[in-house]
Amino acid sequence: MAKLRHIAVTVPDLEAAARFYENTFGMARQMQSDIAILLSDGTVSLAILKFRTDEQAGDERGKDFHGLHHMGFVVDDIDAMSRQIEANGGRYHMRLPDSAEGATEIKFYDPNGVVFDIVTADYATNAWGAKVSD
């Protein structure tokens, strides 16, 4: 089973984008760093990203790409879901390095080239500091 965890967009101005979603849709700021602001409506998160380098961006789109970057899903079993993704036409893209919280995100392309990641609920809770909704 999988649940949508977040949708990530890249933007030229983090604060301006965050204020738009806060003021327009009443989203609440959950976390921020120098390259990300995480907003939530209480169910799904919106990760607003501004990469400083192409390496941070993590793929061929680079730091100057703006728009839908990827979406993320929380899954029960990373290995089983990885096999299911590939059996259904998805293909492996990359894995972020493991963190102190454990295994991190594994990114895939769907059959149309859309990037998404999968994580466990434990990682999502530890990495973002907020419980993942059931």
Side-chain angles (χ1 to χ4, degrees), residues 61-101:
R61 294 174 292 177
K63 67 179 177 56
D64 296 322
F65 171 81
H66 298 133
L68 177 63
H69 192 265
H70 69 275
M71 58 190 149
F73 293 88
V74 174
V75 301
D76 294 329
D77 183 321
I78 290 275
D79 295 329
M81 183 57 70
S82 295
R83 289 189 298 273
Q84 186 170 334
I85 289 165
E86 291 177 346
N88 285 293
R91 53 187 210 286
Y92 176 83
H93 175 35
M94 65 182 286
R95 181 182 188 135
L96 297 182
D98 288 349
S99 69
E101 291 82 23

Side-chain angles (χ1 to χ4, degrees), residues 106-127:
I106 301 174
K107 294 188 182 290
F108 293 86
Y109 293 105
D110 77 3
N112 296 303
V114 175
V115 177
F116 64 93
D117 66 53
I118 59 173
V119 299
T120 62
D122 288 342
Y123 171 77
T125 299
N126 291 331

Side-chain angles (χ1 to χ4, degrees), residues 13-87:
D13 185 325
L14 281 175
E15 276 300 323
R19 281 193 306 274
F20 171 80
Y21 290 103
E22 289 168 325
N23 295 334
T24 304
F25 298 108
M27 297 190 87
R29 201 173 291 218
Q30 303 295 304
M31 182 280 293
Q32 73 181 69
S33 70
D34 63 328
I35 64 166
I37 297 176
L38 183 69
L39 304 174
S40 179
D41 66 3
T43 303
V44 176
S45 296
L46 175 63
I48 301 170
L49 308 171
K50 167 104 175 97
F51 296 116
R52 306 284 185 231
T53 66
D54 289 336
E55 184 176 86
Q56 279 180 335
D59 63 28
E60 66 278 356
R61 294 174 292 177
K63 67 179 177 56
D64 296 322
F65 171 81
H66 298 133
L68 177 63
H69 192 265
H70 69 275
M71 58 190 149
F73 293 88
V74 174
V75 301
D76 294 329
D77 183 321
I78 290 275
D79 295 329
M81 183 57 70
S82 295
R83 289 189 298 273
Q84 186 170 334
I85 289 165
E86 291 177 346

